[in-house]
mmCIF file of all heavy atoms in Angstrom:
data_model
loop_
_atom_site.group_PDB
_atom_site.id
_atom_site.type_symbol
_atom_site.label_atom_id
_atom_site.label_comp_id
_atom_site.label_asym_id
_atom_site.label_seq_id
_atom_site.Cartn_x
_atom_site.Cartn_y
_atom_site.Cartn_z
ATOM 1 N N LEU L 116 -5.677 -37.376 1.519
ATOM 2 C CA LEU L 116 -6.661 -38.105 2.288
ATOM 3 C C LEU L 116 -6.356 -37.957 3.846
ATOM 4 O O LEU L 116 -7.201 -37.707 4.707
ATOM 5 C CB LEU L 116 -6.726 -39.531 1.981
ATOM 6 C CG LEU L 116 -7.767 -40.366 2.841
ATOM 7 C CD1 LEU L 116 -9.167 -39.964 2.668
ATOM 8 C CD2 LEU L 116 -7.584 -41.866 2.423
ATOM 9 N N LEU L 117 -5.037 -38.138 4.186
ATOM 10 C CA LEU L 117 -4.618 -38.078 5.579
ATOM 11 C C LEU L 117 -4.843 -36.594 6.128
ATOM 12 O O LEU L 117 -5.220 -36.486 7.276
ATOM 13 C CB LEU L 117 -3.170 -38.468 5.689
ATOM 14 C CG LEU L 117 -2.729 -39.826 5.371
ATOM 15 C CD1 LEU L 117 -1.197 -40.047 5.429
ATOM 16 C CD2 LEU L 117 -3.450 -40.845 6.303
ATOM 17 N N SER L 118 -4.672 -35.610 5.286
ATOM 18 C CA SER L 118 -4.780 -34.251 5.751
ATOM 19 C C SER L 118 -6.206 -33.907 6.131
ATOM 20 O O SER L 118 -6.473 -32.926 6.737
ATOM 21 C CB SER L 118 -4.225 -33.297 4.704
ATOM 22 O OG SER L 118 -5.108 -33.201 3.611
ATOM 23 N N ALA L 119 -7.195 -34.721 5.769
ATOM 24 C CA ALA L 119 -8.581 -34.543 6.045
ATOM 25 C C ALA L 119 -8.894 -34.889 7.476
ATOM 26 O O ALA L 119 -9.940 -34.535 7.964
ATOM 27 C CB ALA L 119 -9.514 -35.278 5.090
ATOM 28 N N HIS L 120 -8.017 -35.629 8.147
ATOM 29 C CA HIS L 120 -8.318 -36.137 9.430
ATOM 30 C C HIS L 120 -8.194 -35.080 10.516
ATOM 31 O O HIS L 120 -7.266 -34.249 10.492
ATOM 32 C CB HIS L 120 -7.412 -37.263 9.792
ATOM 33 C CG HIS L 120 -7.661 -38.553 8.983
ATOM 34 N ND1 HIS L 120 -7.314 -38.660 7.628
ATOM 35 C CD2 HIS L 120 -8.324 -39.700 9.254
ATOM 36 C CE1 HIS L 120 -7.740 -39.835 7.186
ATOM 37 N NE2 HIS L 120 -8.284 -40.476 8.131
ATOM 38 N N SER L 121 -9.060 -35.120 11.475
ATOM 39 C CA SER L 121 -8.995 -34.190 12.630
ATOM 40 C C SER L 121 -8.183 -34.788 13.803
ATOM 41 O O SER L 121 -7.737 -34.081 14.694
ATOM 42 C CB SER L 121 -10.333 -33.708 13.123
ATOM 43 O OG SER L 121 -11.168 -34.919 13.434
ATOM 44 N N ALA L 122 -8.107 -36.060 13.800
ATOM 45 C CA ALA L 122 -7.360 -36.860 14.860
ATOM 46 C C ALA L 122 -6.243 -37.592 14.262
ATOM 47 O O ALA L 122 -6.348 -38.362 13.298
ATOM 48 C CB ALA L 122 -8.321 -37.731 15.647
ATOM 49 N N ALA L 123 -4.980 -37.357 14.776
ATOM 50 C CA ALA L 123 -3.834 -37.972 14.186
ATOM 51 C C ALA L 123 -3.866 -39.444 14.393
ATOM 52 O O ALA L 123 -3.392 -40.247 13.399
ATOM 53 C CB ALA L 123 -2.654 -37.418 14.896
ATOM 54 N N ALA L 124 -4.424 -39.991 15.453
ATOM 55 C CA ALA L 124 -4.488 -41.439 15.595
ATOM 56 C C ALA L 124 -5.311 -42.115 14.400
ATOM 57 O O ALA L 124 -4.904 -43.120 14.009
ATOM 58 C CB ALA L 124 -5.129 -41.711 16.932
ATOM 59 N N ARG L 125 -6.368 -41.454 13.988
ATOM 60 C CA ARG L 125 -7.143 -42.027 12.896
ATOM 61 C C ARG L 125 -6.318 -41.949 11.569
ATOM 62 O O ARG L 125 -6.395 -42.790 10.662
ATOM 63 C CB ARG L 125 -8.430 -41.254 12.776
ATOM 64 C CG ARG L 125 -9.444 -41.569 13.823
ATOM 65 C CD ARG L 125 -10.836 -41.354 13.412
ATOM 66 N NE ARG L 125 -11.080 -39.955 12.988
ATOM 67 C CZ ARG L 125 -11.399 -38.942 13.761
ATOM 68 N NH1 ARG L 125 -11.600 -39.269 15.022
ATOM 69 N NH2 ARG L 125 -11.637 -37.726 13.354
ATOM 70 N N ALA L 126 -5.569 -40.857 11.464
ATOM 71 C CA ALA L 126 -4.768 -40.707 10.244
ATOM 72 C C ALA L 126 -3.672 -41.744 10.180
ATOM 73 O O ALA L 126 -3.387 -42.348 9.089
ATOM 74 C CB ALA L 126 -4.081 -39.346 10.343
ATOM 75 N N VAL L 127 -3.098 -42.096 11.323
ATOM 76 C CA VAL L 127 -2.076 -43.229 11.407
ATOM 77 C C VAL L 127 -2.725 -44.526 11.032
ATOM 78 O O VAL L 127 -2.160 -45.341 10.234
ATOM 79 C CB VAL L 127 -1.465 -43.301 12.794
ATOM 80 C CG1 VAL L 127 -0.634 -44.567 12.876
ATOM 81 C CG2 VAL L 127 -0.583 -42.023 13.147
ATOM 82 N N GLN L 128 -3.984 -44.723 11.440
ATOM 83 C CA GLN L 128 -4.700 -45.940 11.187
ATOM 84 C C GLN L 128 -4.980 -46.054 9.695
ATOM 85 O O GLN L 128 -4.783 -47.070 9.028
ATOM 86 C CB GLN L 128 -5.994 -46.005 11.950
ATOM 87 C CG GLN L 128 -6.805 -47.285 11.713
ATOM 88 C CD GLN L 128 -8.083 -47.287 12.485
ATOM 89 O OE1 GLN L 128 -8.429 -46.363 13.187
ATOM 90 N NE2 GLN L 128 -8.947 -48.362 12.263
#
Side-chain angles (χ1 to χ4, degrees):
L116 177 63
L117 294 176
S118 68
H120 292 75
S121 58
R125 290 203 301 273
V127 171
Q128 182 180 359

